[in-house]
Amino acid sequence: MTEKVILAYSGGLDTSVAVRWLKEKYNVDVIAFTVDVGNERDFTAIKEKAVKVGASKAIIKDVKEEFVNNYVFPALQADALYEGKYNLATALARPLIAKLMVEIAKQEGATAVAHGCTGKGNDQVRFDVSTNALAPDLKIIAPAREWGMTREETIKYAHKFGIPVPITVKSPYSIDENLWGRSIECGVLEDPWNEPPEEIYAWTKSPADAPDKPLYIEIGFEKGIPTSIDDKKINGLGLIRQLHELAGAHGVGRVDHVENRLVGIKSREIYEAPAGTVLQLAHQALEGLTLSKDQLRFKQKVAMEYADLIYNGLWFGSFRDDLKAYVDSTQRYVTGTVRVKLFKGNCTVVGRKSPYSLYSLKLATYDKGDVFDQKASPGFIHLWGLPIRTQAQAQGISEIKER
Ligand code: ARG
């Protein structure tokens, strides 16, 4: 019996060529599998194309809700930003896609999974590591990593086998998108000195063309999960979509990042994440109000570890479960409302409130009603400074002063 392979299929040139290439090279039946993680596309056309280029079957799966609830929002709660800048939109979708591929492979009795990643990026690592973790016996084939064809050769191959070459192939950019963000690289962006041309942006207006009047919005959170906009309850997906429009129209969410890939190279990527940018800032502002100093400080370290782990393809390891447990615990009181101002490419937090706020006006105020006991401060300072006084005296005041 001919073996079956599940191919992660995007409908683009590379994965279309991969369908054919897999059949030629490995003599297998190819089942094209396309996941809807909010990448606006015509899924019916993708399905038809898959079969047209030689797939024995094409499967589409809408996992937008699962993506939001089990991947995007946990990352938001963690404040996970790779190198402090990238909200990990692409990286977060990979383990979910790998998990679904494994499920489909079991259902269909396939012996291998395949994806269109090259051998230079992070995505191959995320797919392969996740697949290995979930199904160690499944073979993994990465045609674009094996075939060694240049762009021109791939196009030639397509022509030879009657695979349609879309006009968009002319675009010099490599773009990946899902509901949490859009990642753009290649073309003129490869020179980090070049300013990104306006044409690469699809979700955000140029700040120069954004409205001259700021827009204020209020985002409500429950236990670190955004649940309302301007007091109107809305589910996660709807909320992201609405914020995406609002913030995008004000030019919010453009990120220009020279990042360190896991495979050791630096690469320049532009991200568009209007909703993500607003939510990240708002969430952090609410944490600033509801978490203690120590919780916040430790959480920053956790955020960095969590972001690295997602970026590096280790989603299905126990370390993530451990970090998630800490993050979940911190989110118990991250409930409240944050007011943000969107204006000319900027998102600024201008107000925050919570029933669990640790901010005490009675303690903070310099006006009347102050309950802070200033008479307690000298005693506190006396003991706080005790070790440094002791050291200065025992080891020489002048020597310390010279440092
Ligand atoms: N650099 C990002 C990451 O590793 C995005 C990768 C995909 N980017 C692209 N333009 N196709 O997660």
Side-chain angles (χ1 to χ4, degrees):
M1 211 178 80
T2 320
E3 289 193 25
K4 290 183 197 163
V5 175
I6 312 293
L7 168 69
Y9 183 69
S10 71
L13 177 66
D14 286 338
T15 52
S16 295
V17 166
V19 173
R20 186 70 206 211
W21 185 87
L22 281 166
K23 291 173 57 152
E24 297 286 323
K25 171 100 197 267
Y26 290 100
N27 190 27
V28 288
D29 273 347
V30 179
I31 298 175
F33 179 50
T34 309
V35 177
D36 179 0
V37 275
N39 23 5
E40 297 293 335
R41 9 187 30 162
D42 182 349
F43 287 99
T44 322
I46 292 178
K47 206 169 165 174
E48 281 168 13
K49 185 170 175 189
V51 175
K52 195 166 156 241
V53 299
S56 61
K57 190 171 179 179
I59 303 170
I60 310 279
K61 199 159 172 157
D62 175 353
V63 292
K64 292 195 284 286
E65 302 274 352
E66 184 180 1
F67 183 48
V68 169
N69 297 327
N70 299 348
Y71 294 78
V72 168
F73 282 172
L76 174 67
Q77 288 179 305
D79 301 306
L81 282 180
Y82 184 62
E83 295 181 335
K85 296 190 86 168
Y86 164 40
N87 85 350
L88 296 157
T90 298
L92 281 164
R94 299 316 185 193
L96 172 56
I97 297 172
K99 188 185 87 165
L100 297 163
M101 301 257 295
V102 167
E103 275 170 27
I104 301 277
K106 294 233 160 95
Q107 266 168 37
E108 300 286 335
T111 49
V113 292
H115 57 71
C117 303
T118 69
K120 280 181 82 171
N122 298 308
D123 285 328
Q124 52 163 351
V125 181
R126 297 166 186 151
F127 274 126
D128 292 6
V129 170
S130 300
T131 305
N132 284 154
L134 300 172
D137 295 334
L138 267 185
K139 281 180 280 197
I140 302 169
I141 310 173
R145 193 165 59 188
E146 286 180 30
W147 66 35
M149 288 191 279
T150 62
R151 197 82 187 138
E152 284 73 48
E153 287 162 352
T154 315
I155 293 173
K156 240 178 156 173
Y157 189 98
H159 285 316
K160 185 171 157 203
F161 289 102
I163 296 163
V165 178
I167 310 293
T168 51
V169 161
K170 290 217 186 73
S171 158
Y173 306 110
S174 159
I175 298 167
D176 177 72
E177 70 178 49
N178 61 49
L179 58 90
W180 195 228
R182 195 163 168 269
S183 312
I184 313 129
E185 62 182 354
C186 301
V188 291
L189 302 173
E190 284 185 351
D191 181 345
W193 179 247
N194 284 341
E195 179 173 354
E198 203 50 44
E199 64 178 21
I200 67 162
Y201 298 106
W203 292 0
T204 52
K205 223 181 181 152
S206 165
D209 300 332
D212 293 323
K213 245 182 72 191
L215 177 72
Y216 289 88
I217 44 182
E218 292 184 5
I219 300 162
F221 287 86
E222 283 166 33
K223 299 190 175 174
I225 304 285
T227 53
S228 71
I229 296 182
D230 290 335
D231 264 339
K232 273 191 239 29
K233 284 256 171 277
I234 181 163
N235 74 1
L237 187 55
L239 181 138
I240 290 172
R241 290 221 160 117
Q242 197 177 331
L243 271 185
H244 176 109
E245 295 298 326
L246 297 173
H250 283 266
V252 169
R254 296 182 173 186
V255 174
D256 182 342
H257 187 197
V258 174
E259 74 193 32
N260 293 289
R261 281 194 196 164
L262 182 60
V263 293
I265 51 183
K266 286 191 188 289
S267 73
R268 201 269 192 104
E269 189 110 34
I270 306 298
Y271 298 104
E272 277 190 293
T277 302
V278 173
L279 288 173
Q280 209 88 47
L281 285 166
H283 179 256
Q284 278 171 1
L286 192 57
E287 288 187 330
L289 202 63
T290 53
L291 297 187
S292 72
K293 176 177 166 180
D294 295 325
Q295 284 177 303
L296 277 170
R297 285 171 66 88
F298 192 70
K299 193 161 184 296
Q300 281 174 7
K301 296 184 199 172
V302 170
M304 202 164 80
E305 294 293 334
Y306 211 134
D308 281 3
L309 164 168
I310 295 168
Y311 190 84
N312 295 336
L314 304 176
W315 183 266
F316 291 115
S318 299
F319 189 38
R320 188 189 89 90
D321 299 331
D322 301 343
L323 297 185
K324 184 176 186 302
Y326 176 74
V327 172
D328 285 348
S329 173
T330 61
Q331 299 301 289
R332 283 170 297 164
Y333 300 104
V334 184
T335 295
T337 306
V338 178
R339 190 166 69 243
V340 299
K341 177 180 169 178
L342 308 176
F343 186 56
K344 295 275 183 202
N346 289 309
C347 172
T348 323
V349 172
V350 293
R352 63 289 264 165
K353 63 181 180 187
S354 165
Y356 307 110
S357 175
L358 300 175
Y359 180 91
S360 162
L361 183 64
K362 285 195 301 226
L363 289 174
T365 186
Y366 285 93
D367 293 339
K368 70 172 176 353
D370 182 7
V371 299
F372 186 92
D373 182 3
Q374 298 198 32
K375 287 199 272 316
S377 287
F380 163 72
I381 294 166
H382 182 74
L383 293 185
W384 175 250
L386 179 61
I388 206 166
R389 277 200 315 276
T390 307
Q391 188 167 36
Q393 277 155 27
Q395 298 174 356
I397 293 168
S398 56
E399 191 192 326
I400 285 165
K401 265 193 191 152
E402 272 159 25
R403 279 200 213 128

